[in-house]
Structure formats: structure tokens, C-alpha cells
Amino acid sequence: MYIVFLGAPGAGKGTQAAKIANELGLAHIATGDLFRQAIEVGNDLGKKVKKYMVKGVLVPDEITVGLIMERLAVLAQTRVIFDGFPRNLEQAKALDGALKKQNKAIDQVVYIKVAEDELVQRLSKRWICRNCQTPYGPHTPPRVSNQCDRCGGRLYQRPDDQPETVRKRLKVYFSETAPLIEYYRQQGKLLEVDGSGRVDSVANNIISALGERQFIAQ
Ligand code: AP5
């Protein structure tokens, strides 16, 4: 089972993907998290992607698609949530092609919808764990101030959550990523979910929608 979580920056893709992957026992592959971890350790990948991420533009496809293909080749799990990938039509087609070679395909695409002012609000107040990337915010605070509930790591504000970079990321989302909504709708794979409620209720809506389409047991 291969599920893509799609939505604008701040829609809650990371929050929901981590929660649902944990509840349903799926692998969670988040390109943004992989890139930030590479920047943290300062390896070659981190050095290559940093300049794109700080500007709020997409990392070139050859780097991103290469990274995902490497992951898929060694992943024993065949129940996966992709979060933040694919991000444009080229990436979507590359993923379809790679899965097809293994007689597999994307099963469902969960499109999390949130109004633009709410996205900007959320990103301005987001803190994430430097170690495991778990996001926190006013509605999802850590139990201990400045400390990750999951791993005890320190929290920080992403440099690309500065207002000017957020505006750029939203622009990039609408021009490059939003066309994927139609791409997957035409394939009959799009599940639209209102992402504006509480975290638990959004998660329940996603799980019931996947259950209704019989991708998971209810
Ligand atoms: P990436 O890390 O993927 O960022 P993004 O898509 O911009 O998404 P975000 O992580 O900002 O938001 P989210 O939807 O995960 O929301 P979250 O759950 O954190 O990408 C960063 C950069 O990496 C890109 O700009 C690009 O440079 C590069 N990159 C990544 N993937 C790439 C690719 N495939 N190709 C090329 N380049 C790529 O939630 C946000 C906040 O809201 C949190 O504080 C959270 O606690 C809170 N929140 C969540 N749900 C709720 C709720 N229901 N109610 C209230 N608050 C909530």
C-alpha cells in the first residue's frame, strides 16, 4: 500500500503522516525531514540541498528522485506514506514509473486542505525537533517546554518558516505542486480531507476515508 500525503506548507502533512503511520504500522518517508537531517549532519546531500531549502524553492528533481529511488530499493516495507513527495509532475511520473517496474502503484492520495491564512499562522508558530523532526505548535505543544516528547531533542524554528520564505514556498506550492491534485483526481485516487479541525479529528477523518475505500480495515 502506497499513500501520498499532499497539501500546502503547514497543512499538517508531517503531523498526520507520522501519527497515521504509527497507528497503522506504515513506513513514513518525508523528503523534507531527510533533507533537514542531512543538513544537520553536514553530509554531501545536506550541503547540496541547503541553498534551495533556505530560499523556499524545490530541490532539483535529480537529487530528490534519486534519494527516493535509493530508499525504495532498500525498503523492506511495502506499506508506505510519502510525505512531501512527489512535489511536481516530473516527480509523480518518476514515482509511478519506479513502482510500475515492481508491479506496484500509488493506491491513494490524501489531499489535506487548509485555508491560506491558517497556513501562514501555523508556520509562524511552528517549532520542530532538531533530532527527529516532530513538529509542535500552539495546538500541539510539547509536554516539557522546548523538548521533544518523542526523543527529548531540542526544538527550533525552521529557517524557511520566516514570513518571506513562507510566501515563496506557498507560491512554489501553487505553481508546481497543486497541479498534482488534478493529476491524481483524474486517476480516481484523490481523497480530499478538511485539515482545519483538531489534529485527532483530522486523523480520524483520514483513517475513515481510507477505510471507506477499503485500503485499511475499519
Ligand atoms: P517540507 O519539509 O516537505 O515542507 P512543506 O511541504 O513546506 O511542509 P511543512 O513541513 O511546512 O508542513 P506540513 O504540511 O508537514 O505541516 P506540519 O505537520 O509540520 O519541505 C521543505 C523544503 O524541502 C521545500 O521547500 C524544498 O526546498 C525541500 N523539499 C522537500 N521535499 C521536496 C521534494 N519532493 N522536491 C523538491 N524539494 C523538496 O504542521 C504545521 C504546523 O501546524 C505545526 O506547528 C503543527 O503542530 C501544526 N498543526 C498541524 N495540524 C494542525 C491542526 N489540525 N490544527 C492546528 N495546528 C496544526
Side-chain angles (χ1 to χ4, degrees), residues 7-16 31-33 35-36 52-53 56-59 64 83-87 91 118 122-123 125-127 135-137 139-140 158 160-161 169 195-199 202:
K13 302 179 296 296
T15 302
Q16 294 299 335
T31 36
D33 290 354
F35 290 150
R36 277 184 292 279
Y52 302 103
M53 293 180 74
V57 299
L58 295 186
V59 169
T64 312
D83 157 14
F85 181 89
R87 205 63 159 235
Q91 293 182 10
E118 166 88 18
R122 284 185 187 181
L123 294 178
K125 294 179 183 148
R126 171 168 63 183
W127 288 74
Y136 296 92
H139 298 279
T140 51
R158 279 171 44 177
D160 62 345
D161 279 347
R169 285 163 59 207
S196 62
R198 292 169 57 89
V199 170
V202 175

Side-chain angles (χ1 to χ4, degrees), residues 2-6 80-86 95 106 108-111 184:
Y2 294 90
I3 303 175
V4 169
F5 276 34
L6 188 63
V80 179
I81 296 179
F82 293 104
D83 157 14
F85 181 89
L95 180 60
I106 295 295
Q108 288 292 289
V109 176
V110 176
Y111 166 37
Y184 288 119

Side-chain angles (χ1 to χ4, degrees), residues 41-59:
V41 294
N43 62 18
D44 282 351
L45 176 66
K47 284 177 193 142
K48 279 189 207 155
V49 302
K50 190 173 178 180
K51 59 176 180 276
Y52 302 103
M53 293 180 74
V54 291
K55 285 189 214 148
V57 299
L58 295 186
V59 169

